[in-house]
Amino acid sequence: MLIATKPNLINLYLLASLFTTFLSMKKYFIIFMVIGLLFGCEKDSGRTYNNPYLPNYSFSATINLNLPGYSGLNSNSNPIMFTVDGDINIVMMKVAGTDYRAWNGNCPNQAPTACSKLSIQGLSAKCNCEDGYAYSLFDGTAAAQYGMIPYRVEVLNSSTIRVYN
């Protein structure tokens, strides 16, 4: 009887050892996956907008929603257009709650000229030049090669927003 149970104990020991090894390897696999995900993700997903027509300006603008020029951003779906640093046109709209969208205010499918500044028409931004593309202010798309270039928006408090690139 002792001879018959001894192989079962050895098999049980081997099975337990194999299971322990599997669990320890699984732990390392999960740790490596988590580390890979943490280092693989960026704040803006590494997305770049290489538009040959529009330069990529770095800027940061703080907007006070209590000022009359920016009061349109206090209500949903009421886009406004403004300029920062003298030459950076921005089209901005509050979508809902604390969700704001800000876009470059120049036509993305042509070089900057006198007519390339977008104009707001309802919930679209329209190019005033001969191509006449209309871009959605929700996602920046149009039936054109390039879409609008988005800017980052950070809500600092209930009356202050930061727009930057």
Side-chain angles (χ1 to χ4, degrees):
M1 181 158 205
L2 189 59
I3 296 172
T5 58
K6 198 170 190 179
N8 289 341
L9 288 177
I10 292 172
N11 289 341
L12 185 61
Y13 174 75
L14 290 175
L15 183 64
S17 175
L18 183 64
F19 185 71
T20 305
T21 305
F22 172 74
L23 287 179
S24 66
M25 294 302 286
K26 184 178 175 183
K27 181 174 35 175
Y28 290 120
F29 177 74
I30 291 172
I31 289 171
F32 284 125
M33 289 298 292
V34 169
I35 289 172
L37 289 173
L38 288 175
F39 288 110
C41 298
E42 294 181 28
K43 185 175 183 179
D44 60 358
S45 302
R47 198 169 187 189
T48 57
Y49 295 90
N50 294 325
N51 186 315
Y53 300 113
L54 300 177
N56 188 16
Y57 295 120
S58 293
F59 71 94
S60 178
T62 304
I63 298 168
N64 183 348
L65 297 176
N66 295 326
L67 295 175
Y70 304 113
S71 63
L73 295 175
N74 289 318
S75 59
N76 296 342
S77 303
N78 191 12
I80 65 166
M81 182 170 234
F82 56 95
T83 304
V84 295
D85 294 340
D87 59 349
I88 301 173
N89 298 316
I90 298 175
V91 178
M92 191 167 176
M93 179 175 75
K94 179 179 182 179
V95 177
T98 59
D99 184 10
Y100 292 86
R101 308 282 165 84
W103 309 95
N104 185 305
N106 291 316
C107 295
N109 289 286
Q110 67 180 48
T113 60
C115 72
S116 68
K117 186 175 178 181
L118 295 170
S119 62
I120 297 172
Q121 293 184 350
L123 297 177
S124 299
K126 188 171 189 297
C127 190
N128 295 318
C129 298
E130 62 276 352
D131 59 17
Y133 291 124
Y135 301 89
S136 167
L137 292 178
F138 289 99
D139 61 8
T141 60
Q145 182 176 6
Y146 297 103
M148 295 175 75
I149 297 175
Y151 292 139
R152 295 176 184 96
V153 179
E154 178 183 10
V155 177
L156 300 175
N157 58 46
S158 63
S159 64
T160 310
I161 301 172
R162 179 177 164 235
V163 179
Y164 62 100
N165 187 16

